Amino acid sequence: MYTYKTFTVVTDNGPYITKLILKAPETVRAECIDKDTFSVYVERIDPKTGKGFLENHTWPGPKIFPSQGYRPVSAAYPCDENGGKVYQSGHIALEMPYQMGAPIGYSMAASLREGGYNALVECRYRVTQVKDIPGEVPINGWIFDESQGDICPQLRGWQNGCSHYEPLPLNYGYFTPDLDHAKQSFTALDSNYGDEWEHTFPEKLPLVIWLHGHGEGGDDPALAYTGNKVVAISSDDIQRKLGGAAYVLAPQCPTFWMNSGAVNHQDPKELTSSKSMYTEAVKAVIDEFIDLHPDIDRDRVYIGGCSNGGFMTMRMLLSYPDFFAAAYPVCEALRPSDFSEQDIENLKHLPMWFTQAENDPIVPPDGLVLPLVRRLKAAGAENVHVSLFERIVDQSGLHKDGQGRPLEYMGHFSWIHTFNDDCVYDLDGTRVMHEGRPVTLWRWMGRQCRK
């Protein structure tokens, strides 16, 4: 029996294991193995019960999926210890295709916990050699069934913590930029914009806050930044757009942000209040994190979140209207009637970029974000934008439906376009501009500073 490592990619739909890295007992050459050399079997285990489970997916349609079975292998090759292809090695990479809505390769389970919360699951693999590896003495009989951990390059720089706010401490995930790496990858002159936007690496760094949706509540802070592709904010691309480097903070709610505390809410459908019992606790996490990192620019603190977290984003803005430099709410769910005229006056100065889909079945824009934006603009708001997508359709070319067309997601999944930086157009169909130049959401964000 031999060992393996998993290789995870955090996708638009969360974390998938896309590759196994086998530690072989002998060196293998590339021409000696192919995708049919090994058979891959996996069991997805709930770490709290130690048992497998049936997963109920409501998207893209109501289906029950078993959490065990065989995964096809699309490619096999010798690799280095991190999965990079080489000609010969004592490590073997097995690439496995994954498909949205088919969770056998998914290392998260949707709505596994009571209350509808998602959960990260343990994936136990057993890889069996089913075809001889040729040689002077043919090799056969290899079995790999002991995990030696996971590799996920997107999680470099991410850690977990817990606040010290005694009334209500919150778990959180956070990203600390590697400044040496950031400076090496930073381009002082952005060739897309020319000499006018030449800039240098900042002495103080912005802080980007993300507030997760309902499904990522619970007691595992990794869900707060892997349940959606929040780790995109720590990518070189978005870090450069934010000015070169940025901290990222992702607090986790033990229940859901809409919980007012007035009753013991365990189901968002029982919501009776526009308040949140977590407002002060979230502010305490932010303040504590900033105090721990003196190189954070207090005039460049940005906040956003999706759905339940979009609600909480607006809740934080109402409570602390002069604290944040900009906001990026996604499918936000705070009702327009919960904004007083004074609230509108307090917020009209704040740069905001909303993202939404027209066909969102959970938080329809006509009843939520659009009336709010109209009130803000009527009050004189000048730096408020809305990227309103007709539908949420894959723009990467990576994901297709059964007919080979770009995969269409549920209309509520508009955070996909936020993290892929697809937001470029305003509500009237024109490009969002900054200093006379067209910008994407993240490039716009990096230019905002508290006045």
Side-chain angles (χ1 to χ4, degrees):
M1 304 296 181
Y2 305 112
T3 64
Y4 66 87
K5 286 187 177 181
T6 52
F7 188 97
T8 295
V9 175
V10 181
T11 73
D12 293 333
N13 195 42
Y16 281 80
I17 294 173
T18 63
K19 185 188 299 186
L20 296 178
I21 302 171
L22 314 178
K23 188 173 182 181
E26 298 182 32
T27 298
V28 175
R29 298 191 309 276
E31 66 268 19
C32 295
I33 56 174
D34 59 33
K35 65 183 182 63
D36 299 316
T37 304
F38 298 95
S39 171
V40 176
Y41 182 81
V42 61
E43 293 183 350
R44 300 167 71 232
I45 303 296
D46 181 348
K48 286 196 173 183
T49 65
K51 299 178 181 179
F53 53 91
L54 295 177
E55 184 164 356
N56 184 358
H57 262 208
T58 57
W59 176 88
K63 295 180 181 179
I64 301 294
F65 293 95
S67 284
Q68 60 186 29
Y70 289 92
R71 295 191 64 185
V73 176
S74 57
Y77 49 83
C79 66
D80 60 30
E81 61 182 10
N82 294 313
K85 186 181 290 188
V86 296
Y87 172 66
Q88 64 179 22
S89 173
H91 292 86
I92 299 170
L94 304 181
E95 293 185 1
M96 300 171 294
Y98 64 93
Q99 181 180 355
M100 303 295 183
I104 195 69
Y106 204 26
S107 51
M108 186 176 81
S111 303
L112 182 62
R113 300 281 177 255
E114 184 179 355
Y117 307 126
N118 303 332
L120 295 175
V121 298
E122 179 186 353
C123 298
R124 298 177 184 172
Y125 282 85
R126 181 180 176 88
V127 180
T128 304
Q129 183 186 353
V130 294
K131 189 171 78 172
D132 284 355
I133 296 175
E136 189 172 324
V137 177
I139 298 172
N140 54 49
W142 287 353
I143 295 175
F144 304 82
D145 63 356
E146 182 182 344
S147 173
Q148 292 294 305
D150 181 71
I151 297 173
C152 182
Q154 293 160 290
L155 293 182
R156 289 173 186 153
W158 284 89
Q159 295 176 276
N160 298 331
C162 184
S163 71
H164 294 85
Y165 180 62
E166 290 187 3
L168 189 51
L170 295 180
N171 290 327
Y172 60 87
Y174 66 99
F175 170 75
T176 303
D178 179 338
L179 293 185
D180 289 337
H181 171 77
K183 289 175 181 177
Q184 289 175 3
S185 62
F186 178 72
T187 304
L189 177 62
D190 191 323
S191 60
N192 292 322
Y193 293 92
D195 297 338
E196 293 179 34
W197 275 18
E198 184 177 1
H199 54 284
T200 57
F201 197 87
E203 294 183 7
K204 284 187 169 287
L205 307 180
L207 169 63
V208 181
I209 299 157
W210 173 256
L211 302 173
H212 61 76
H214 170 78
E216 289 71 52
D219 57 7
D220 186 346
L223 282 169
Y225 53 91
T226 60
N228 309 118
K229 199 167 65 174
V230 183
V231 293
I233 307 175
S234 63
S235 68
D236 287 349
D237 177 57
I238 290 181
Q239 290 277 300
R240 281 195 296 268
K241 290 172 180 175
L242 288 167
Y247 287 92
V248 187
L249 176 63
Q252 186 187 36
C253 177
T255 59
F256 53 95
W257 301 118
M258 286 181 170
N259 189 341
S260 71
V263 294
N264 184 23
H265 287 137
Q266 293 299 321
D267 184 344
K269 294 177 182 177
E270 298 178 8
L271 180 66
T272 59
S273 172
S274 62
K275 304 295 183 182
S276 172
M277 64 182 288
Y278 296 107
T279 303
E280 292 182 1
V282 172
K283 183 61 161 54
V285 171
I286 297 169
D287 290 340
E288 180 179 313
F289 190 80
I290 292 174
D291 288 342
L292 289 171
H293 300 88
D295 58 335
I296 288 177
D297 186 345
R298 293 173 181 266
D299 289 327
R300 298 180 66 210
V301 178
Y302 312 130
I303 188 167
C306 64
S307 191
N308 224 268
F311 161 94
M312 196 61 188
T313 297
M314 303 311 297
R315 186 74 262 158
M316 294 299 293
L317 298 182
L318 291 179
S319 297
Y320 310 100
D322 297 318
F323 181 81
F324 301 99
Y328 60 110
V330 183
C331 50
E332 75 88 6
L334 188 61
R335 298 168 298 200
S337 59
D338 295 321
F339 294 82
S340 69
E341 291 307 314
Q342 187 58 55
D343 290 332
I344 296 297
E345 282 296 311
N346 292 343
L347 294 180
K348 69 180 184 180
H349 72 283
L350 183 68
M352 287 183 272
W353 191 320
F354 297 86
T355 305
Q356 183 81 49
E358 291 181 7
N359 67 340
D360 190 326
I362 297 175
V363 286
D366 288 339
L368 292 164
V369 66
L370 296 183
L372 172 60
V373 169
R374 283 195 291 267
R375 289 177 66 191
L376 287 166
K377 294 202 171 191
E382 297 180 351
N383 198 2
V384 173
H385 311 284
V386 183
S387 285
L388 184 61
F389 294 87
E390 181 180 355
R391 300 173 297 141
I392 304 302
V393 179
D394 178 67
Q395 298 187 16
S396 69
L398 296 175
H399 309 300
K400 309 286 186 181
D401 65 15
Q403 286 72 47
R405 300 168 302 192
L407 182 66
E408 180 175 351
Y409 298 87
M410 181 202 292
H412 191 53
F413 291 11
S414 47
W415 56 81
I416 288 174
H417 291 324
T418 296
F419 292 129
N420 288 328
D421 208 18
D422 298 327
C423 301
V424 296
Y425 293 105
D426 214 333
L427 191 58
D428 61 0
T430 62
R431 284 294 302 267
V432 177
M433 308 291 285
H434 180 83
E435 296 180 358
R437 305 277 183 172
V439 289
T440 64
L441 185 153
W442 290 106
R443 191 175 291 281
W444 169 88
M445 187 93 68
R447 297 286 167 169
Q448 306 306 314
C449 187
R450 185 174 61 172
K451 298 179 181 177

